[in-house]
Amino acid sequence: MKTTAIVELVFIPSPGMGHLVSAVEMAKQLVGRDDRLSITVLIMKRPFDKSKVSSSTQSLLLMAAEDRLKFIYLPLDEAAAAELQSKFPETFMLEFIKMNKQHVRDHVREMVSTGSTRIAGFVVDMFCTPMMDVAAEFGVPSYAFFTSNATVLALAFHLESLSPDEYRDLTELKDSDAELELPGFVNPVPVKVLPASFRDREFGSRFMSVAKRLRQTKGIMVNTFEELESNAVRFLAENDKIPPVYPVGPVIHLVSNTNGEEEEEAMEIMSWLDNQPLSSVVFLCFGSMGSFGGDQLKEIAQALEQSGHRFLWSVRRPPSKGKREIPDEYQDLNQVLPDGFLEHTNEIGKVIGWAPQVAILSHKAVGGFVSHCGWNSTLESLWCGVPMAAWPMHAEQQTNAFQLVRELRLAVDIKLDYKKDIFMSDSSNVMLVTVEEIENGIRKLMESENKCGEERKKRVKEMSEKSKVAVVEGGSSHNSIGLLIEDFMKTT
C-alpha cells in the first residue's frame, strides 16, 4: 500500500535550459526515492525563446509528469519582459526573476489555501535566490540547487568572504598573468580562468550577493559527486559558516525525448554513427548557448579537414545583433563554411544543427568531445566515458576547463582562457582560436598512442565508473540524497 505524500516541496528553477533540465531530473529522483515526497515545479518561461531546444525541453517536462510531480508554467507577459530588458539590459535575467515573485506568491497561496498542503520548503536555483523572500513569507525554509559544481561553489563562498579591499585587488588583476592559491584547488589558479562575473567588480558584487543569500539556506544540493571533487567537497563540509552541502550528482537526463522533425534528425545522426569505426569520431558541440560567427567557423572547418579525423559537428548561429536570443541553426551552411568543405569531408564528417547530445556521447563510435565545458555537458561526457578537449566560452566554463585539464587531468585544452560574451553577435571583438590551436587540440584528444593519452583515457574510464557507483544504493550521492530527505522530513 502506497504511503500518502506528507512533504510538499516547491522547486523554482532558473529558466535556462541547463538549469531547468537538471532541476526536473533532481525532482524526479527525489519523488522516485521516497513516496512521502510531493514536488511542484514552478517554471518561468524564458522570454524571446523560439528555438528548437526550448521545444525539446518542454516535451521532456511533459513526459516526466506523474502524480507526485507537477509542473506549473507561470504566466509570461512578453511585453513586460521586453520593457524590462530595455530598462535593465545587463541585469535582465535577475530582474525577470524578481518580476515572477508575485506569480510564485499567488500560486503557493493557492496551494496552501485548502489547508491540506504542508510545504516543507522551497528549492531555489542558484540564480533564483530572490524567491527565498517568498518562502520566508510563508514561514518555510529555502534550500538551494546549485547546478554548477562544488569547486565553483567553494570559490564563490571564498570570494564573498574577502574584504572589499581584498576583492578590489583581485579584480584589478583580471587581465594579468597572476595566479592565486584558492580553496578546492590543488594548483595555483590563473586569474584569467576565474568566472568572468567574479573578475568584474560590478558583476562580481552581484554574484557575491547570491553567495551571501546561499549562506542563509537550510542546505545546498550540488550537481556533483564526492569522488570527482573531493577537495572542494571537503572544504565546504569543514566550513561551519556554510550550510550543509549535499553532493547529489551526476544529475543528468539520459533518455532522449524527441518528436517529429527532431526524431528524424536523431535517427539520421545515429545511423551515420553506426557506420563509423569504434572510437573514431570527434564530436564538437558547444551547448544550447554556444555559437560562432563565420570567421571562427572557417578556422574550425580547416582544422577538422587537416586533422583527418572523422567528425560530427553541431553548428549554431549567433543571435542577431542586439538580441538576447537563444542561438539557432544556420539556414545555409555553405554560406558560412569554406567553399567545398562539405563536399571534401563528405566521407568522414557530418555537420548538424541540433544534437541529441547524450545519445551521441553514448555511441561506441565517438572517441572524443570538443566541449564548452558547461557542467551538464561535462557530467554527461564523464558518465559516457568520453575524453574531452576544453574550449570554454562564458560563465564558469573557464574554471571548469582548468579543473578538468590541470587539476583532474581528464581533458586536453584548446584555449582555456577563451572568452565570449554569452549574447555577443559581433565577432569582431572576440578572440579567434586559430586552425593550429584547434587541430593540435583535436590531435591530442583523438590520438592516444602516446603514454599521456592512454593515461588520460584510463582516468576518464575510471571516473565514468565512479560516477555510476555514486548514484546507486550505497554510493556517495545516493547516501547524500538520503540525508537530504531526512532533513526535509524534519521540517514538518
Side-chain angles (χ1 to χ4, degrees), residues 143-144 146 153 157 214 217-222 242-247:
Y143 296 81
F146 198 80
L153 180 61
F157 280 132
L214 290 176
T217 61
K218 198 164 185 286
I220 305 172
M221 302 170 229
V222 185
I242 295 173
V245 172
Y246 301 91

Side-chain angles (χ1 to χ4, degrees), residues 25 43 83-84 165 172 183 221 230 241 246 269 278 322 397 412 424 431 442 466:
E25 287 301 313
I43 300 169
E83 183 180 352
L84 205 63
D165 287 343
E172 288 175 354
M221 302 170 229
S230 56
K241 294 182 179 179
Y246 301 91
I269 292 166
L278 181 70
Q397 293 162 13
V412 301
M424 186 178 287
M431 67 172 73
I442 290 172
K466 289 177 180 178

Side-chain angles (χ1 to χ4, degrees), residues 17 39 59 68 97-98 162 210 215 223 285 342 407 434 453:
M17 182 187 176
I39 295 176
S59 299
R68 290 180 293 109
I97 288 166
K98 288 179 181 177
L162 298 179
V210 170
R215 288 189 189 273
N223 191 8
C285 188
L342 294 175
E407 295 280 296
T434 66

Side-chain angles (χ1 to χ4, degrees), residues 220-264:
I220 305 172
M221 302 170 229
V222 185
N223 191 8
T224 193
F225 54 104
E226 191 174 338
E227 293 78 2
L228 178 61
E229 295 190 277
S230 56
N231 290 320
V233 169
R234 189 180 309 113
F235 167 80
L236 293 165
E238 292 174 352
N239 193 317
D240 59 8
K241 294 182 179 179
I242 295 173
V245 172
Y246 301 91
V248 295
V251 181
I252 51 181
H253 182 67
L254 294 171
V255 180
S256 293
N257 296 118
T258 56
N259 51 50
E261 183 184 346
E262 288 177 6
E263 187 170 356
E264 286 184 25

Side-chain angles (χ1 to χ4, degrees), residues 142-201:
S142 290
Y143 296 81
F145 183 39
F146 198 80
T147 51
S148 187
N149 55 47
T151 301
V152 171
L153 180 61
L155 179 58
F157 280 132
H158 170 70
L159 296 181
E160 188 267 335
S161 71
L162 298 179
S163 70
D165 287 343
E166 288 172 322
Y167 186 66
R168 185 183 63 249
D169 290 344
L170 185 150
T171 60
E172 288 175 354
L173 295 172
K174 64 180 180 180
D175 296 318
S176 73
D177 293 324
E179 295 184 336
L180 304 174
E181 300 284 343
L182 294 171
F185 293 90
V186 174
N187 298 294
V189 182
V191 173
K192 287 181 179 179
V193 304
L194 295 180
S197 58
F198 291 7
R199 290 181 284 108
D200 182 276
R201 197 176 307 171

